[in-house]
Amino acid sequence: AVELILFSTPLIKLTRAFAKCHYKMLVLGGGSGGIAMSARMKRMLGAENVAVVEPSEMHYYQPLWTLVGAGAKSAASAGRSTASVMPSGVKWVKSKVQEINPDVNTVLTVDGTKISYEYLIVALGLQLHFERIKGLPEGFEHPKIGSNYSVQTVEKTKRALQDFKEGNAVFTFPNTPVKCAGAPQKIMYLSEDFFRKTGKRAKANVIYNTSLPVLFGIKKYADSLWEIVKSRDIQVNLRQNLIEVRPENQEAVFENLDNPSEIKVIEYEMLHVTPPMGPNLVVKASLLADESGWLDLNKETLQHMNYPNVFGIGDCTNLPTSKTAAAVAAQSAVLNRTIKKILKNEMPDKKYDGYTSCPLVTSYNTVMLAEFDYNGQPLETFPINQAKESRIMYHMKADIMPHLYWHGLLRGLWGGPEPFRKILHLGMK
C-alpha cells in the first residue's frame, strides 16, 4: 500500500503532462491565418482542444508596413503582442516548429517538445531570403537602403526616403514568388508622391526594376498602372533582377533575365529591396510539401492532397493565387466550412475561388483596389470601376482594413468581402 501511494502521484503527473501534448486541433503558426483559424477552431471544438505553436512575442499587421515605410503610419500601429491576439483559453506553445511528421500525426518543436494531433492546420508563412542578394542583409547597416518586408528594415525605408536629396530612387521586384506582389511598386508610387510634395521631384529619377515581364499580373489593372507610370515619368524596366548591392558605393547590380550575361549597375540615392522569397523551410523538409516545397493543398477545399487530416492556409501553401491578407480572410471562411464537414464525415461543399485583393497605393491619398480570382479575372466588390484611383479606397486601406483585421479576421469573425459583395449586388438589382 505504501509503494502504491509513493508511485501514484508522479504517475498521475506524467499522465497529465502527456495529455497536454495532444490536441484535437493543432495550428502551426501565429500569423494572420493561424490566429484566424485558431479563433474559429476554438468556437468549433472548445479552447481546451486547440493549440497554436508560435515563437514570436509580437504579431504584425504586415499590409500596413507599406504606409510605415512611407512615413504615413507609425511602426507601433502595425504591431500588437501575440498574447493580446491569441484566443483566450487556447494553448499557446511558445516555440518554433522543427519537424512535422504527418505519418504519425506529430510535430516536434525546437525545444524538444513532441506534440501529437488529430487534425493539423499549417499556417507557417513563407521565408524571406535577403541573403540570396550579394551584400545583404549586412548592407542594411548602411543608410539609403530599406525594405518594407521586414520589421527590422521597414523604418530604414522611411529614413532613406526622408533623407533623399537627388539622384536615383530604385525599387525592385525579385525573381521568385512574393507575398503581396503589389507592395514593391506601392512604395515606389508613395516615394514619387513624397518627392513631389517636398519639392524634390525634379531632382529624382524614379526607377522600378522588376523581374516580371509585366507591370502587374492582371491586365485590367496593369493597363491603368502603365498610364500612371507614364504620366508621372517613372522608368519601368522589365525582366531585371537584383543580384547584388554595393552599399559602400551606393550601387545596385541587376541581371537581365532574358539575357543573363547582361549585367547593369545603377547608382542609387535610395534603394528599396523586395527580397527573394521561398517556401517555409520546415514545410519544405516535410512530407507535406509539393515538388517546389510549398504545402500541397486541394486548391478548392484547402485540404492536403495526401493527408486528409491536414489543412493549410496563407503564404505557405501552393494555392495559385497572390499571397495576401485578403486571400487569408477568404480562405479562412472556406477552410472553416471544410473542417466542419470533415469532422462530420461529410464531403466539403464550399469552394475557394482563389479570391485575393491588392490595394495598390498610388499616392498618399489614392488607392486602386485590385481584386481577382484563380483565373486572373477581376472579382470586384464595389459597383465602380476599381481600376481607377480612389480616395475612398485609400481610407479603406489605411483606416478601415486595419480595424477589420484586428477585430474581425483575427477573431474569426471576418471571412473576406463575399457576403458584403452579395449584399451590394442584390441592392443593385
Side-chain angles (χ1 to χ4, degrees), residues 28 285 289 298 326 342 347 367 397:
L28 304 184
N298 178 308
I342 295 295
M347 291 295 291
V367 158
K397 157 75 177 174

Side-chain angles (χ1 to χ4, degrees), residues 108-173:
L108 182 67
T109 64
V110 293
D111 61 8
T113 303
K114 183 177 284 188
I115 309 170
S116 60
Y117 60 83
E118 192 171 337
Y119 297 94
L120 181 70
I121 296 175
V122 183
L124 287 170
L126 51 64
Q127 200 85 20
L128 302 182
H129 289 290
F130 284 110
E131 79 283 354
R132 291 184 184 173
I133 300 170
K134 187 177 180 181
L136 294 181
E138 60 273 17
F140 287 113
E141 296 174 6
H142 295 254
K144 305 182 184 301
I145 174 174
S147 176
N148 290 351
Y149 276 87
S150 162
V151 68
Q152 290 84 17
T153 57
V154 63
E155 291 202 280
K156 293 179 182 293
T157 303
K158 176 182 173 181
R159 284 195 290 274
L161 177 61
Q162 294 178 341
D163 292 344
F164 183 94
K165 294 180 175 60
E166 61 178 314
N168 294 329
V170 182
F171 305 85
T172 74
F173 189 109

Side-chain angles (χ1 to χ4, degrees), residues 68-114:
V68 173
K73 291 285 184 178
S74 69
S77 67
R80 295 188 182 181
S81 69
T82 300
S84 71
V85 299
M86 189 69 64
S88 61
V90 166
K91 174 64 178 178
W92 175 17
V93 181
K94 296 182 187 179
S95 189
K96 190 175 182 179
V97 179
Q98 179 173 304
E99 183 181 289
I100 308 169
N101 192 338
D103 283 338
V104 292
N105 297 333
T106 62
V107 167
L108 182 67
T109 64
V110 293
D111 61 8
T113 303
K114 183 177 284 188

